[in-house]
Amino acid sequence: MQEKLPIAIVSDIVCPWCFIGKARLETALADHGLTDKVAITWLPYELNPEMPAEGMDRTTYLNTKFGPGKRKEIETRLSEAALESGVTFNWPKVTRSVNTRMAHMLVAAAATVQRGTEMKAALFKAYFQDGRDIGDLETLVAIATELGFEETAVRDELANDELRETIIGLEAHAQKVGVTGVPFFIVDGKLAVSGAQTPDVWAQVFAQLAQTGTDAR
């Protein structure tokens, strides 16, 4: 049995470019017949590690980070960039900026049963399209049970101190190796791709892998 090409993706669930980058990569994989030939691992990154556990009003957060009155301009630019990828944002519903640590724990837990990508997709949708508070425990439990996970097991994972420390350690490692922005992709353990690159850029990456004999196998 041939091994799959590993792609590790460092990202945050409240990062709109990470949502776009995921869609662009998936388009590129489909275009090159590689969808079933890769093994994706999601690695955590918190854009706002100091965000209060209860989160904060999104407009207030954006005003503080980018300056007053910038929200509409930022969101319009993001929506335009997302058009070709098929990603849509429902900005009026995104009312809070949230702490994502528990959400990352949920993705990591789902990954142990090979459902990390499914959980990541559900969380992106929940936040950017449905306007759900993915920093809230009960909301995360609801999202997981909607995917068929058992409620007691989900609650246990989200209260798991060892899992929480693992997430913190992975985030610290990403910073240590120089990841300063997301999304950040590590292909085959050695080729780094930074940013929400378009499918044509991914085509070049796949060509480079083929030339070095490390194409999806």
Side-chain angles (χ1 to χ4, degrees):
M1 182 176 178
Q2 291 183 321
E3 295 181 4
K4 293 187 175 183
L5 177 73
I7 302 178
I9 308 175
V10 186
S11 69
D12 197 2
I13 301 147
V14 293
C15 165
W17 286 109
C18 294
F19 193 11
I20 294 169
K22 173 181 178 292
R24 288 176 172 177
L25 171 61
E26 289 170 347
T27 295
L29 291 172
D31 288 347
H32 290 81
L34 299 176
T35 301
D36 297 324
K37 297 181 180 179
V38 298
I40 292 177
T41 301
W42 294 97
L43 298 177
Y45 190 95
E46 291 180 62
L47 290 175
N48 314 297
E50 305 305 319
M51 178 67 67
E54 68 276 11
M56 66 186 295
D57 175 76
R58 181 166 175 80
T59 299
T60 300
Y61 167 74
L62 292 175
N63 285 348
T64 301
K65 186 169 184 177
F66 298 108
K70 295 286 188 180
R71 176 172 179 170
K72 182 173 179 58
E73 175 188 336
I74 292 167
E75 293 176 347
T76 298
R77 180 166 53 88
L78 285 164
S79 292
E80 290 172 351
L83 282 176
E84 95 295 338
S85 67
V87 166
T88 57
F89 296 103
N90 191 349
W91 296 120
K93 282 196 170 185
V94 186
T95 60
R96 298 194 65 74
S97 288
V98 303
N99 183 299
T100 55
R101 185 158 298 167
M102 281 197 301
H104 286 299
M105 292 170 66
L106 194 56
V107 173
T112 63
V113 290
Q114 289 73 53
R115 296 182 68 186
T117 294
E118 183 182 358
M119 182 63 73
K120 191 82 172 188
L123 289 168
F124 275 137
K125 178 181 181 296
Y127 184 67
F128 285 115
Q129 297 176 340
D130 301 333
R132 299 170 79 173
D133 182 355
I134 61 168
D136 174 68
L137 172 63
E138 296 305 322
T139 300
L140 291 173
V141 171
I143 291 168
T145 55
E146 287 161 15
L147 291 181
F149 289 92
E150 201 276 319
E151 180 178 342
T152 302
V154 173
R155 292 186 182 278
D156 287 345
E157 293 289 8
L158 292 177
N160 186 328
D161 289 337
E162 184 176 342
L163 179 57
R164 182 179 299 272
E165 290 303 314
T166 296
I167 295 300
I168 292 170
L170 288 169
E171 291 175 351
H173 179 72
Q175 292 181 334
K176 184 178 179 180
V177 299
V179 178
T180 58
V182 289
F184 189 88
F185 304 82
I186 305 164
V187 185
D188 205 34
K190 54 182 177 290
L191 183 59
V193 179
S194 180
Q197 299 298 339
T198 53
D200 61 320
V201 173
W202 279 110
Q204 296 172 27
V205 172
F206 300 148
Q208 183 177 344
L209 289 170
Q211 290 172 0
T212 58
T214 56
D215 198 1
R217 48 245 192 224

